[in-house]
């Protein structure tokens, strides 16, 4: 027994703790040790090597379950290669997530934003629309209707960050796919966006707002899939609708809010 040490020395030598060693015994990471006649646990080279291997595998980012699968003690073992390959896939996914976060932070820093607010962060819904329509079409959108483009981005962020209604993102996807496959209708939508920008500075009682709302309803009626999308859009309850209007008041002008109200009313009336 000269080459064996008691648990106190084993804990100190391995840089571990008594609680950790007991837990490793309990979970099967460390086999039950030999004992003296008096019942004291004894540890030797085998246990030292096992603790060393556990330490190295933990340094790779493995959790105890994965380590157990590699060094034994599990009834359903995978090969060390399988476990390492699985860990590699997880780390690559984490790496991609970290790189995406760095890009977002770099974007915020490059914009010299004095304060961190919701407008600093890119909308996932707007990013989805960009990917569907393509960079060229989005660039045309931003160049043709810059004011509306920026409002669209901010409104998408507001919708992303709160659960105002169900499946709004699916509606964005359907709309983007429709315009991708119908470029002529997309051109009409851009022209309508230019009109939307023109009314933004009108007084909310200006009759041109209602006239534009009627033109918009006619445009939507000429695009059956878009009309169906608007018709199936779930309505918010009254308190939620009021809160939403208060939230978007910092993005839309009073004339644009009035237009939206008239558009919804006229579209429902047209359905009847």
């Amino acid at each position: 027994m000269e080459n064996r040490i008691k648990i106190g020395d084993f804990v100190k030598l391995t840089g571990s703790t008594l609680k950790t060693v007991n837990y490793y015994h309990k979970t099967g990471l460390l086999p039950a040790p030999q004992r003296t006649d008096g019942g004291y646990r004894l540890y030797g080279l085998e246990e030292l090597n096992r603790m060393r291997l556990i330490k190295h595998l933990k340094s790779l980012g493995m959790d105890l379950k994965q380590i157990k699968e590699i060094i034994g003690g599990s009834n359903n073992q995978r090969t060390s290669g399988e476990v390492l390959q699985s860990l590699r896939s997880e780390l690559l996914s984490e790496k991609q997530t970290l790189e995406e976060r760095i890009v977002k932070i770099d974007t915020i820093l490059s914009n010299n934003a004095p304060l961190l607010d919701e407008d600093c962060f890119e909308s996932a819904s707007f990013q989805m629309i960009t990917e569907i329509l393509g960079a060229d079409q989005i660039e045309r959108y931003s160049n043709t209707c810059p004011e509306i483009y920026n409002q669209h981005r901010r409104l998408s962020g507001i919708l992303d960050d709160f659960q105002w209604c169900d499946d709004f993102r699916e509606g964005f996807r359907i709309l983007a796919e429709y315009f991708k496959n119908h470029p002529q209708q997309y051109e009409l939508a851009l022209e309508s966006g230019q009109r939307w920008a023109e009314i933004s500075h009108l007084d909310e009682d200006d009759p041109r707002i209602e006239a534009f709302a009627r033109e918009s309803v006619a445009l939507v009626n000429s695009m059956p899939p878009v009309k169906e999308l608007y018709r199936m859009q779930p309505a918010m309850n009254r308190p939620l609708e009021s809160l939403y209007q208060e939230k978007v008041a910092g993005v839309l002008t009073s004339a644009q809010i009035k237009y939206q109200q008239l558009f919804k009313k006229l579209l429902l009336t047209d359905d009847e």
Side-chain angles (χ1 to χ4, degrees):
M1 299 247 180
E2 291 182 359
N3 62 341
R4 293 194 167 271
I5 56 178
K6 292 183 179 179
I7 189 169
D9 292 328
F10 180 74
V11 166
K12 184 177 180 180
L13 186 60
T14 58
S16 185
T17 65
L18 180 60
K19 182 178 180 181
T20 296
V21 172
N22 286 336
Y23 182 74
Y24 286 176
H25 282 309
K26 181 179 179 181
T27 57
L29 281 170
L30 277 177
Q34 294 183 14
R35 290 182 180 268
T36 65
D37 293 338
Y40 292 104
R41 287 179 281 184
L42 295 174
Y43 296 84
L45 186 61
E46 180 183 354
E47 290 80 14
L48 284 177
N49 288 338
R50 200 167 179 91
M51 285 292 285
R52 186 185 187 194
L53 180 57
I54 292 172
K55 188 175 184 179
H56 285 315
L57 293 176
K58 285 179 70 176
S59 73
L60 295 177
M62 287 190 182
D63 57 33
L64 295 182
K65 180 181 178 182
Q66 292 169 318
I67 294 173
K68 193 174 180 180
E69 290 180 335
I70 285 184
I71 67 176
S74 173
N75 293 327
N76 183 26
Q77 296 181 23
R78 293 187 289 170
T79 66
S80 59
E82 289 173 336
V83 175
L84 287 170
Q85 186 61 48
S86 175
L87 177 62
R88 184 177 187 277
S89 297
E90 292 176 12
L91 292 174
L92 286 174
S93 178
E94 292 176 11
K95 178 184 176 183
Q96 181 178 352
T97 299
L98 291 173
E99 288 174 345
E100 290 172 353
R101 290 175 181 172
I102 291 171
V103 169
K104 290 179 181 179
I105 291 173
D106 286 344
T107 300
I108 294 172
L109 291 173
S110 67
N111 291 333
N112 296 317
L115 297 173
L116 282 178
D117 58 26
E118 63 269 24
D119 294 334
C120 292
F121 301 93
E122 187 63 55
S123 159
S125 293
F126 198 82
Q127 182 62 34
M128 175 189 67
I129 293 171
T130 300
E131 292 172 356
I132 292 173
L133 288 175
D136 290 343
Q137 292 292 4
I138 291 296
E139 184 176 0
R140 287 190 62 246
Y141 178 17
S142 65
N143 291 335
T144 304
C145 314
E147 182 179 347
I148 307 309
Y149 172 83
N150 289 325
Q151 286 181 328
H152 188 177
R153 288 179 62 251
R154 295 177 68 188
L155 289 173
S156 295
I158 290 173
L159 286 170
D160 279 342
D161 292 341
F162 303 98
Q163 299 298 316
W164 301 105
C165 55
D166 296 331
D167 297 332
F168 73 88
R169 189 171 295 177
E170 177 63 11
F172 285 163
R173 186 194 64 77
I174 293 172
L175 199 60
E177 292 283 2
Y178 176 80
F179 285 134
K180 177 183 178 181
N181 296 321
H182 298 81
Q184 291 183 340
Q185 280 74 12
Y186 183 61
E187 292 295 331
L188 294 175
L190 288 180
E191 292 176 9
S192 181
Q194 289 176 305
R195 292 287 308 281
W196 167 266
E198 292 171 4
I199 71 162
S200 64
H201 305 295
L202 297 178
D203 184 86
E204 63 181 281
D205 296 323
D206 194 303
R208 285 174 288 182
I209 297 175
E210 181 175 348
F212 178 52
R214 292 186 182 278
E215 290 176 15
S216 299
V217 169
L219 177 62
V220 168
N221 286 339
S222 71
M223 307 175 187
V226 178
K227 179 182 180 181
E228 180 68 12
L229 187 61
Y230 276 109
R231 191 178 67 82
M232 297 299 294
Q233 191 175 36
M236 300 181 192
N237 60 47
R238 184 166 295 179
L240 200 60
E241 173 72 23
S242 298
L243 187 59
Y244 175 76
Q245 294 297 338
E246 184 178 354
K247 180 64 181 173
V248 301
V251 179
L252 303 178
T253 67
S254 59
Q256 289 172 325
I257 293 175
K258 178 68 175 293
Y259 160 84
Q260 284 189 334
Q261 295 169 343
L262 287 170
F263 173 79
K264 290 179 182 179
K265 179 181 178 181
L266 291 168
L267 192 63
L268 291 174
T269 302
D270 186 73
D271 282 341
E272 297 172 357

